[in-house]
Amino acid sequence: MITGNILGYQISALSEKRLYASNPSTVEMLPETFVPATTAETDRAVRLAAAAFRTYRNLAGTLRAAFLTAIADGIEHIGETLVQRMMEETGYPQPRVIVERNRTCSQLRMFAEIAASEQWREIVVDPALPDRTPTPRPDLRSMMVPLGPIVVFGAANFPLAYSTAGGDVASALAVGCPVIVKAHDAHLGTHALVAEVIMNAARQTDMPEGVFSALVGDGYETGRQLVLHPDTAAVGFTGSQQGGRALFDLGHQREKPIPVFAEMGSVNPVFLLPGAVAADVEALAKTLAGSIALSVGQFCTQPGILVALRNSDTVHLLDMLKIELEKMTTAPMLHTEIYRSFHNGIESIRNHDGLNMICDVMPAPGLHTSPVLATVDATNFLNQPQLHLEVFGPFSLCVLCSDPDQMEMVASSLDGQLTATIHAAETEHNRTSDLMEVLSEKAGRIVIKGVPTGVEVCGAMTHGGPYPASTDSRFTAVGARSVRRWVRPVTYQNVPSVLLPELLKML
Amino acid sequence: MITGNILGYQISALSEKRLYASNPSTVEMLPETFVPATTAETDRAVRLAAAAFRTYRNLAGTLRAAFLTAIADGIEHIGETLVQRMMEETGYPQPRVIVERNRTCSQLRMFAEIAASEQWREIVVDPALPDRTPTPRPDLRSMMVPLGPIVVFGAANFPLAYSTAGGDVASALAVGCPVIVKAHDAHLGTHALVAEVIMNAARQTDMPEGVFSALVGDGYETGRQLVLHPDTAAVGFTGSQQGGRALFDLGHQREKPIPVFAEMGSVNPVFLLPGAVAADVEALAKTLAGSIALSVGQFCTQPGILVALRNSDTVHLLDMLKIELEKMTTAPMLHTEIYRSFHNGIESIRNHDGLNMICDVMPAPGLHTSPVLATVDATNFLNQPQLHLEVFGPFSLCVLCSDPDQMEMVASSLDGQLTATIHAAETEHNRTSDLMEVLSEKAGRIVIKGVPTGVEVCGAMTHGGPYPASTDSRFTAVGARSVRRWVRPVTYQNVPSVLLPELLKML
């Protein structure tokens, strides 16, 4: 395993500092020691990327596709080694790891197709109109081009799908942007295995040196240096609101500001209209419990708020939900900081007016954590904005409303969301329609029935939303359209065919 | 003429302060007094927009198209009154005013077509795959939706095409965003005439009240309040780097940041390869002089830097350019501040190492200004970054290079640009290609032969570019694609047909 930094095609480990990964199940340090990047190494990574950009941005899409496909093949090839390491570093069960691994590889292959097809270029041709009066129109052709070197921060909860070879990296590489990844401290070994695969894939497919570099972070400083580096063109981040906002501010305070796309999660409200609750309490309780507690609640789309009427069906639902949640075996959270932050979040929620704990924190070994469920009446919820904030982990707050109008008031009071979900009976279409109207101003994705967890990777996906779900609601972090974060249009006016970029020549 | 503020369908003039427009030709105040918006009026304008948004965003595109078309018709209808007023307030000659008026109307009609076609929705449908293993795919449909109320700042140099009914306003209205315009102080009368047309067009086509409001600014404070208002969703600005950056910073420092798209101009370098200079010095001098001095140099795309070899052909070109520029009749700049800023810019340029004035500032009455031309050798240019900055007005600096490699070094040293132009002989394709490679990383539009002034309004246009040409190179301020600044994607997952937005129902 490479325990240093990957700078283009070289391994570099100049610092005398050392970092360890740890096993959240046992809270024990894993044996390997990792070497964080020095200032000089970080600088070199970005400079190599800037140099590689000159070549990489002009490669045929099919060559970039071959690179991305080689990464997917390489990840599959290291198979069990990677699965084991990720299990050790995350405490995720094997099936969860394998699903994420497969998703990562199919995502890489989707972006390979996008690279090969060149559809992301969005070519527009307005041919010359030499006879137009009063002035002729010149020949105008436009296409998208890559922005430049992209810095990607690994996500704690998706060591594969949103980290070293994840969606941000794959989307940037697909459209001709070199990438510098800063590993997440919580899974340095998983990162190292994947980073090595990418380095080898780049070499094997003859990519210019510097198209990919991978750094172990020296605390906050490495990230800061990466965002402020004059050669950095944009940043991708998935994580907390605090972390995302700090990077966003850094990016915008630069002398030359750069876009920082941070996907910062949300509370993903689930609205339970009375007809849907009455229809099948048991099934609904099972569905919701599964979504609340999935992967110890460590999903950006975890449903942190349920909104229902205060009536006997809801009482029944909450009883069933309590039973379902208490049935679940505990599992460790990803790392000490997330664990602490979750429990601090619960403590700060606990003493709010009108809060009633249904499933409270349970004693458990190490970082093991059981789901927490609470209720609050809508008036108290509306009066206490702190209850609207995300508590990252297996927590859900059920907001009890006196009538459907109050449910709509709750919807209106919410911040920007990645998702908003509605469960309704067929007889409740008018009410659903009104709620959708409010929620489509708030969220990037509207889900009817179902649960917000489970983000399909496809053309129609939006994984983003109004602040604080993301820093720019005009973009998505998942799906084909996510490449838009890394490209800009260029127009060629009266450029003779021989000088036009290949893709614009024949049109 | 409405001399107060238009708040939805009401005229409001609560302040006791008064503003005057002035005639730059005579430097005399025009008779009307305008009433700047109070804090309460500004707040009301944005609140009305937020209320109108609920209705306006759901209107059929054809209805929004009718509104935009009615604005174009209304502007044409007031005909001579508007032309006269704009001439008085800008000092522009009648043909310039009429061209801009026609462009504004055809731009409004282009955006009407975009609204009616709904193409900007970028609908994507991924149908359900119920039999997919291991998990079925839900039905996913996405489309673009409008962001919300947009604040637009009128531009000094385009009182029609980039102000009250200009590109930013038309593009936002086309895609369902209400607009609040802050008038530019330099053309309050032109603004008032157009704002009244828009208010009447909104009424006539049954638009919700608040879809459009128009404010006279009370110094910097009105703009500041508009950008910081919690209901403002995004901002469009065309003007100076200082002004654009200040608004950009305000927008990003908000608790909930919003996008601020500022198009801030650039020096629009023109590279003159020796073959092109040798080919026809006279024609080239005429072409360049026309572009440098057009509308007293008051275009975002005015060529502020020429780059050529130091040889006898270039000496000849400069001689001819001097003759052409000196032939031009002087004309007034738009207002006192632009005039002062131009002359201060020239004074601060003047004393740089190696600077040689070819056409210097000439005495002229009032705000009348003649073109200024200077040369500097490339080494001095490269060593003095202040020479790379825009001096807004009829000034061009010719950078003299010892060889073509140095021309490429000059290209590499430049900041982000709206445009970059190359003149080359057919035998100079290799050199042109190398230059294009460097310049396409710097600019939003590459022009071969021709001049950067003259921005076609069409699908393939990019009017934007890397900072400081604009605050976000991923967008354009001109052309069909400019609507992207004001929209975001929403995904509908498993939404029954009856509840889907009309546009997504039948797919």
Side-chain angles (χ1 to χ4, degrees):
Chain A
M1 186 183 293
I2 295 172
T3 55
N5 301 281
I6 294 179
L7 308 178
Y9 292 134
Q10 294 194 314
I11 314 300
S12 181
L14 300 179
S15 173
E16 291 181 0
K17 297 185 191 170
R18 292 295 178 269
L19 297 178
Y20 290 83
S22 67
N23 181 329
S25 303
T26 60
V27 208
E28 277 170 9
M29 287 200 292
L30 293 166
E32 297 81 0
T33 61
F34 296 87
V35 186
T38 62
T39 307
E41 286 169 324
T42 301
D43 181 63
R44 183 163 160 73
V46 189
R47 284 179 190 277
L48 281 169
F53 181 51
R54 305 258 136 76
T55 311
Y56 191 60
R57 73 197 188 93
N58 288 321
L59 291 184
T62 47
L63 298 179
R64 286 199 287 267
F67 174 32
L68 289 167
T69 306
I71 299 172
D73 294 347
I75 288 172
E76 282 164 356
H77 187 73
I78 52 171
E80 201 45 30
T81 312
L82 182 63
V83 173
Q84 280 305 321
R85 179 71 193 199
M86 180 162 150
M87 287 171 66
E88 274 173 11
E89 288 187 328
T90 59
Y92 287 157
Q94 195 189 40
R96 162 76 175 77
V97 170
I98 287 174
V99 164
E100 186 176 332
R101 194 262 315 265
N102 294 350
R103 176 195 165 132
T104 305
C105 293
S106 63
Q107 200 167 244
L108 282 158
R109 293 192 173 101
M110 179 190 81
F111 284 114
E113 275 175 42
I114 289 171
S117 76
E118 303 275 13
Q119 271 173 13
W120 63 273
R121 296 283 187 179
E122 302 186 54
I123 291 170
V124 182
V125 177
D126 285 309
L129 300 174
D131 301 327
R132 190 182 65 173
T133 54
T135 50
R137 183 170 78 184
D139 181 272
L140 289 155
R141 293 155 192 251
S142 71
M143 69 174 190
M144 294 289 177
V145 302
L147 285 182
I150 308 297
V151 167
V152 174
F153 289 80
N157 57 345
F158 279 100
L160 295 175
Y162 276 84
S163 293
T164 318
D168 287 356
V169 174
S171 58
L173 290 176
V175 297
C177 296
V179 172
I180 305 101
V181 168
K182 198 213 72 86
H184 195 286
D185 287 354
H187 36 73
L188 295 169
T190 306
H191 162 80
L193 292 169
V194 174
E196 189 175 356
V197 163
I198 302 177
M199 179 179 70
N200 291 338
R203 243 201 249 268
Q204 179 197 323
T205 55
D206 284 325
M207 293 296 123
E209 178 167 17
V211 68
F212 176 79
S213 288
L215 304 176
V216 174
D218 189 2
Y220 182 61
E221 195 41 41
T222 307
R224 190 184 140 82
Q225 192 190 341
L226 285 170
V227 177
L228 294 179
H229 197 290
D231 288 334
T232 298
V235 176
F237 170 88
T238 306
S240 70
Q241 193 179 330
Q242 200 189 350
R245 181 65 190 250
L247 296 176
F248 176 81
D249 288 345
L250 275 181
H252 287 89
Q253 287 156 9
R254 290 165 50 120
E255 191 195 328
K256 295 185 185 175
I258 56 170
V260 174
F261 186 85
E263 185 272 88
M264 301 179 291
S266 62
V267 292
N268 304 292
V270 178
F271 289 82
L272 304 164
L273 290 182
V277 179
D280 190 348
V281 166
E282 268 114 85
L284 188 57
K286 270 197 184 28
T287 304
L288 292 174
S291 184
I292 291 168
L294 195 65
S295 289
V296 204
Q298 296 165 118
F299 282 113
C300 310
T301 52
Q302 192 264 359
I305 285 182
L306 312 175
V307 187
L309 286 196
R310 181 188 287 284
N311 66 17
S312 59
D313 289 330
T314 302
V315 171
H316 186 194
L317 175 69
L318 288 166
D319 286 345
M320 296 304 299
L321 204 47
K322 180 177 162 73
I323 291 169
E324 291 296 331
L325 291 172
E326 284 177 354
K327 262 198 245 170
M328 307 214 165
T329 50
T330 67
M333 293 194 82
L334 284 159
H335 57 76
T336 317
E337 231 175 278
I338 282 185
Y339 176 87
R340 256 195 228 126
S341 157
F342 175 72
H343 286 85
N344 290 343
I346 298 299
E347 288 320 301
S348 81
I349 289 286
R350 183 187 298 283
N351 296 315
H352 279 74
D353 290 348
L355 208 99
N356 177 28
M357 297 302 273
I358 306 284
C359 300
D360 208 331
V361 173
M362 302 279 280
L367 304 184
H368 281 244
T369 304
S370 56
V372 178
L373 180 68
T375 63
V376 69
D377 63 283
T379 311
N380 276 315
F381 180 79
L382 292 168
N383 290 337
Q384 300 175 95
Q386 219 214 324
L387 293 178
H388 301 209
L389 304 179
E390 185 183 16
V391 178
F392 189 76
F395 168 64
S396 208
L397 175 63
C398 184
V399 181
L400 298 168
C401 301
S402 52
D403 54 46
D405 286 345
Q406 204 175 32
M407 292 179 79
E408 224 170 287
M409 281 173 63
V410 168
S412 297
S413 78
L414 294 172
D415 277 338
Q417 303 290 336
L418 292 169
T419 69
T421 301
I422 306 173
H423 285 253
E426 291 207 5
T427 51
E428 294 170 313
H429 273 161
N430 287 348
R431 190 53 78 173
T432 310
S433 176
D434 291 349
L435 259 180
M436 271 181 67
E437 187 62 23
V438 177
L439 294 171
S440 62
E441 276 191 51
K442 302 276 180 184
R445 178 163 55 108
I446 306 286
V447 182
I448 300 291
K449 295 191 175 162
V451 288
T453 45
V455 181
E456 188 70 32
V457 180
C458 62
M461 180 48 65
T462 305
H463 189 66
Y467 192 90
S470 82
T471 46
D472 194 337
S473 67
R474 297 173 299 175
F475 297 93
T476 170
V478 174
R481 209 180 255 152
S482 64
V483 300
R484 288 227 182 133
R485 293 173 296 169
W486 322 126
V487 300
R488 66 184 182 88
V490 172
T491 297
Y492 299 84
Q493 179 171 328
N494 280 345
V495 175
S497 182
V498 62
L499 288 169
L500 277 171
E502 282 307 317
L503 293 164
L504 296 178
K505 268 196 205 323
M506 290 309 166
L507 300 160
Chain B
M1 186 182 295
I2 295 173
T3 55
N5 301 281
I6 294 179
L7 309 178
Y9 291 135
Q10 294 193 314
I11 314 300
S12 181
L14 300 178
S15 174
E16 292 180 3
K17 297 185 193 171
R18 293 294 178 270
L19 297 180
Y20 290 82
S22 67
N23 181 329
S25 302
T26 58
V27 208
E28 277 170 9
M29 288 199 291
L30 293 166
E32 298 81 0
T33 61
F34 296 88
V35 186
T38 63
T39 307
E41 286 169 325
T42 302
D43 181 63
R44 182 163 162 74
V46 188
R47 284 179 191 276
L48 280 170
F53 181 51
R54 304 259 136 75
T55 311
Y56 191 61
R57 72 197 189 93
N58 288 320
L59 291 184
T62 47
L63 298 178
R64 286 198 287 267
F67 174 32
L68 289 168
T69 306
I71 299 172
D73 294 346
I75 289 173
E76 283 165 356
H77 187 72
I78 51 170
E80 201 45 29
T81 312
L82 182 63
V83 171
Q84 281 305 322
R85 180 70 194 198
M86 180 163 150
M87 287 171 66
E88 274 174 9
E89 288 188 327
T90 60
Y92 287 157
Q94 194 189 41
R96 162 76 174 78
V97 170
I98 287 175
V99 164
E100 186 177 334
R101 194 262 316 265
N102 294 349
R103 176 195 165 132
T104 304
C105 293
S106 63
Q107 201 167 241
L108 282 158
R109 294 193 172 101
M110 179 190 81
F111 285 114
E113 274 175 42
I114 289 171
S117 77
E118 303 275 14
Q119 271 173 13
W120 61 273
R121 296 282 188 179
E122 302 189 55
I123 290 170
V124 182
V125 177
D126 286 309
L129 299 174
D131 302 327
R132 190 183 64 174
T133 54
T135 49
R137 182 170 80 183
D139 182 271
L140 290 155
R141 292 154 194 252
S142 70
M143 68 174 191
M144 293 290 177
V145 302
L147 284 182
I150 308 297
V151 167
V152 173
F153 289 80
N157 57 345
F158 279 100
L160 296 175
Y162 278 84
S163 294
T164 316
D168 287 356
V169 174
S171 59
L173 291 176
V175 297
C177 296
V179 172
I180 305 102
V181 168
K182 200 217 66 85
H184 195 287
D185 287 354
H187 36 73
L188 293 169
T190 307
H191 162 80
L193 292 170
V194 174
E196 188 175 356
V197 163
I198 302 177
M199 180 180 69
N200 291 338
R203 242 200 250 266
Q204 178 197 325
T205 56
D206 283 325
M207 293 296 121
E209 177 168 17
V211 69
F212 176 79
S213 289
L215 305 176
V216 174
D218 188 2
Y220 182 60
E221 194 42 41
T222 306
R224 190 183 138 83
Q225 192 191 342
L226 286 169
V227 177
L228 294 179
H229 197 290
D231 287 334
T232 299
V235 176
F237 170 89
T238 305
S240 71
Q241 193 179 331
Q242 201 190 348
R245 181 63 190 251
L247 296 176
F248 176 81
D249 288 345
L250 274 181
H252 287 89
Q253 286 156 8
R254 289 165 51 119
E255 190 195 329
K256 295 185 185 178
I258 55 170
V260 175
F261 185 84
E263 186 272 88
M264 302 178 290
S266 62
V267 292
N268 304 293
V270 177
F271 290 81
L272 304 165
L273 290 182
V277 180
D280 190 347
V281 165
E282 268 114 84
L284 188 56
K286 270 197 185 26
T287 304
L288 291 174
S291 184
I292 290 168
L294 196 64
S295 289
V296 204
Q298 297 166 117
F299 283 114
C300 310
T301 52
Q302 191 264 1
I305 286 182
L306 312 174
V307 186
L309 285 197
R310 180 188 286 286
N311 66 18
S312 59
D313 289 330
T314 301
V315 170
H316 186 195
L317 174 70
L318 289 166
D319 287 345
M320 296 304 299
L321 204 47
K322 181 179 164 71
I323 292 169
E324 291 295 332
L325 292 172
E326 285 176 353
K327 263 199 244 169
M328 307 215 163
T329 49
T330 67
M333 293 195 80
L334 283 159
H335 56 77
T336 318
E337 231 174 277
I338 283 186
Y339 175 87
R340 257 194 227 127
S341 159
F342 175 72
H343 287 85
N344 290 342
I346 298 298
E347 288 318 302
S348 82
I349 289 284
R350 184 188 298 284
N351 297 315
H352 279 72
D353 291 348
L355 207 100
N356 179 27
M357 297 302 273
I358 307 284
C359 300
D360 209 331
V361 174
M362 302 279 280
L367 304 184
H368 281 244
T369 304
S370 57
V372 178
L373 180 68
T375 64
V376 68
D377 63 283
T379 311
N380 276 316
F381 180 79
L382 292 168
N383 290 336
Q384 300 176 96
Q386 219 214 323
L387 293 178
H388 300 210
L389 304 179
E390 185 184 15
V391 178
F392 189 77
F395 168 64
S396 207
L397 175 63
C398 183
V399 181
L400 298 169
C401 301
S402 52
D403 54 47
D405 286 345
Q406 205 176 32
M407 291 179 80
E408 223 170 289
M409 282 173 62
V410 168
S412 298
S413 78
L414 293 172
D415 277 338
Q417 302 291 335
L418 291 170
T419 70
T421 301
I422 307 174
H423 285 252
E426 290 207 6
T427 51
E428 294 171 312
H429 273 161
N430 287 347
R431 190 52 79 173
T432 310
S433 175
D434 291 350
L435 259 180
M436 271 181 66
E437 188 62 23
V438 177
L439 294 172
S440 61
E441 276 191 51
K442 302 277 181 183
R445 178 163 56 110
I446 306 286
V447 182
I448 300 293
K449 295 191 176 163
V451 289
T453 44
V455 180
E456 187 69 32
V457 180
C458 62
M461 181 47 67
T462 305
H463 189 66
Y467 192 90
S470 82
T471 47
D472 194 336
S473 66
R474 298 173 298 176
F475 297 94
T476 171
V478 175
R481 210 181 253 148
S482 64
V483 299
R484 286 230 182 129
R485 294 173 294 169
W486 322 126
V487 299
R488 65 183 182 88
V490 172
T491 297
Y492 299 84
Q493 178 170 328
N494 280 345
V495 175
S497 181
V498 61
L499 289 169
L500 277 172
E502 282 306 318
L503 292 164
L504 295 178
K505 269 197 206 321
M506 290 309 167
L507 301 161

